[in-house]
Amino acid sequence: MKETTVHDCKVIDIRRYTDTRGYLSVVENGLDIPFDIKRIYYLYMVPEVARGAHAHKELQQLLIATSGSVEVIMDDGKEKKSFMMDRPWKGLLIPAGLWRDLENFSGGAVLLCLASEKYDPEDYIRDYNEFKTYKGI
Ligand code: T46
């Protein structure tokens, strides 16, 4: 996890089915993403503030802006990469060991997160210097 870089983040196309009634997108365990989903949560009614500002030691995630748009800035301590999540069929796969900042939530944005682990406050690194030390930088 300590070796992951921003280049290990991947935007994937989420399966979608459409007909005259609109769209349906699906993420299924064992089929669409490289981890089992143990938890889901979502961010919404976010005012003009930044969220995130932490890294996870073990947690893997898939982030989907199911409505509106959100900028996700990934950081491996050496390099940053920005992902504009603005389509409900795009998912950002985030491996463990990377810092993330969530910025520029549009009005009405909903950011859905599918997570590989249950909630564990011990998995968070919330201090950037500590993160750099963790990455051996
Ligand atoms: C992440 C980004 C995208 C819980 O009690 N259980 C949970 O499963 C989660 C995710 C949060 N919480 C509590 C802990 C805090 O008191 O909810 C409060 C807000 O959490 P946090 O400040 O971590 O929120 P964000 O938006 O900065 O980060 C969250 C996730 O925590 C994080 O894993 O990657 O969304």
Side-chain angles (χ1 to χ4, degrees):
M1 308 316 159
K2 297 184 180 191
E3 301 82 29
T4 48
T5 76
V6 292
H7 301 288
D8 297 315
C9 296
K10 249 193 345 203
V11 177
I12 61 165
D13 273 328
I14 297 169
R15 273 195 285 151
R16 55 187 160 146
Y17 299 92
T18 181
D19 56 33
T20 52
R21 299 168 298 167
Y23 287 84
L24 182 155
S25 279
V26 59
V27 178
E28 200 168 327
N29 259 358
L31 212 54
D32 299 296
I33 53 174
F35 58 82
D36 282 341
I37 301 156
K38 296 218 178 96
R39 177 169 54 114
I40 66 170
Y41 57 87
Y42 43 99
L43 310 177
Y44 54 97
M45 292 173 72
V46 178
E48 284 179 18
V49 295
R51 301 194 62 123
H54 60 257
H56 284 285
K57 296 178 204 158
E58 299 295 335
L59 190 74
Q60 302 172 64
Q61 294 153 296
L62 180 73
L63 301 186
I64 306 163
T66 56
S67 178
S69 60
V70 183
E71 185 180 7
V72 181
I73 301 154
M74 300 305 305
D75 181 343
D76 56 26
K78 288 185 178 161
E79 210 177 329
K80 292 185 184 191
K81 194 166 175 190
S82 164
F83 297 88
M84 184 54 78
M85 304 311 296
D86 56 4
R87 295 287 183 273
W89 60 86
K90 294 280 179 195
L92 177 61
L93 264 177
I94 303 179
L98 296 174
W99 188 269
R100 83 285 324 271
D101 290 295
L102 310 173
E103 297 181 0
N104 298 316
F105 282 80
S106 70
V110 179
L111 186 69
L112 174 67
C113 179
L114 311 184
S116 66
E117 307 298 335
K118 292 187 177 170
Y119 181 60
D120 175 9
E122 296 298 311
D123 189 60
Y124 286 69
I125 304 173
R126 293 190 181 271
D127 179 90
Y128 193 73
N129 287 329
E130 192 187 321
F131 169 66
K132 286 187 86 158
T133 304
Y134 177 77
K135 297 294 271 184
I137 297 166

